[in-house]
Every structure is written in C-alpha cells, then in structure tokens.
Amino acid sequence: CDMARQVLGVVPQAAPIGNRTGKGQVVAVFDSGIDSEHPDFAERIRYQGAIKNAIATDTVGHGTHVAGIIAGTGVASSGKIRGVAPDAELVCIGVCDANGSMQLPVDLGAMLEQAVDKGARIINLSWGYKLRPEYDQNANQIDAFVHRHPNVLVVIAACNEGVAVNGLHSFLTLGSPAAAKNVV
C-alpha cells in the first residue's frame, strides 16, 4: 500500500490535490471478517457482523488484509503503510465460517442490502468463484442490486483470474460475480 498510494495519487507529496483520505466515506467489506483488535482499525469500524452461518472475527486473515488496503491507518507501521482511504469508516461483514469456508446466501443482492443499511455507499467483494466464467445468477443479482441503488459503487476482484494480453481482456476468464456488468 505504501507504493500503491503514490501510484494512485492519493499521497500529497508536494502539493495535495483535494481531500483524498476517504474522510466521510463508509466502505463495506464482505470477506472473512476482520481482526477488530488490529491497531490500524481503531475507531474505523462502524459495524462488524456476519451473515448467517458465518463469523465476524477473521480466522483466515484475508478480510483484515483487504480492510487494511482500503482503510488501514498505518498505526502498526508507524504511518509507513496505510490504506488508500485511511480516514474512511468500515462496515465489515463476515461471509466465512470458522474454517474459512464461504457461506454465501442464495441472493447476493439481498446480502449487500446490509451494507447500505449500515451507511456504506462503497462495497468491496474481494472473492469469487471460477465456477463458470460467464454472466450467471450471482452477477445478475449484484447488477439488480446496483440498479436499485445507483448511488452505491460495488468493487469486485477478478478472483485472481482474468487475462489481459497487451491490455485486451480475454473472454471467459473472469469468475463469478466479477462478470457483473454494473460494477468495477
């Protein structure tokens, strides 16, 4: 994150351009939960919970890692490594059980409603399935959610897949729900 902040232009080196700290933003992270005791998240977690059959406390480390990339304050590294929006608040919702297995509901769109109910307008899903690399029910549910909530930005990982030779995306290489049309 220390290098990514510079690449993204969110580090005010010489002349800051606007407020790029995430202040006033609420970002939801649906992942393996969060380590709420980590010093980088002190006073940053607006809500910590879990969906049915999942737990809120991160036993895997992935959810904490993702939350750190988004809103880690850098306290643990004496300010050297911070998230891209260190002043943002977090809504952290666990979607994994104690063994780290995902426990996603049938309707992903309904799941995302929890984030909106807690004030989030940016939602991060840094997970996915490489079941079928085409537009499926999960992608459709998220697109329907975004249609109902046009003021919400949903960001989905490419699931460590996706091929872009010479910058051109290769078809049928993304997993679900990254194939949704109305997401970043």
Side-chain angles (χ1 to χ4, degrees), residues 98-136:
N99 297 319
S101 297
M102 292 183 71
Q103 302 295 315
L104 296 175
V106 173
D107 186 346
L108 296 184
M111 176 185 79
L112 299 183
E113 294 287 347
Q114 295 176 62
V116 173
D117 292 346
K118 300 297 181 194
R121 295 300 177 260
I122 302 168
I123 299 173
N124 179 272
L125 308 176
S126 286
W127 44 262
Y129 293 108
K130 190 179 176 184
L131 296 174
R132 294 184 315 266
E134 66 258 0
Y135 190 80
D136 66 1

Side-chain angles (χ1 to χ4, degrees), residues 8 13 16-17 19 36 41 55 71 74 85 102 114 128 131 143 146 162 175:
L8 294 171
Q13 296 294 6
I17 303 171
N19 178 5
S36 60
F41 303 122
I55 60 172
M102 292 183 71
Q114 295 176 62
L131 296 174
D143 279 339
V146 173

Side-chain angles (χ1 to χ4, degrees), residues 25-114:
Q25 298 299 314
V26 180
V27 181
V29 178
F30 285 85
D31 211 294
S32 61
I34 189 168
D35 174 3
S36 60
E37 300 300 315
H38 192 290
D40 276 14
F41 303 122
E43 299 179 26
R44 291 282 152 250
I45 301 174
R46 176 182 275 206
Y47 174 79
Q48 180 178 4
I51 64 169
K52 184 178 178 183
N53 299 324
I55 60 172
T57 301
D58 194 354
T59 61
V60 177
H62 192 267
T64 301
H65 171 75
V66 170
I69 290 170
I70 295 168
T73 61
V75 169
S77 65
S78 299
K80 181 181 178 197
I81 302 173
R82 299 187 305 154
V84 294
D87 288 333
E89 288 183 273
L90 294 167
V91 169
C92 299
I93 301 176
V95 296
C96 295
D97 63 19
N99 297 319
S101 297
M102 292 183 71
Q103 302 295 315
L104 296 175
V106 173
D107 186 346
L108 296 184
M111 176 185 79
L112 299 183
E113 294 287 347
Q114 295 176 62

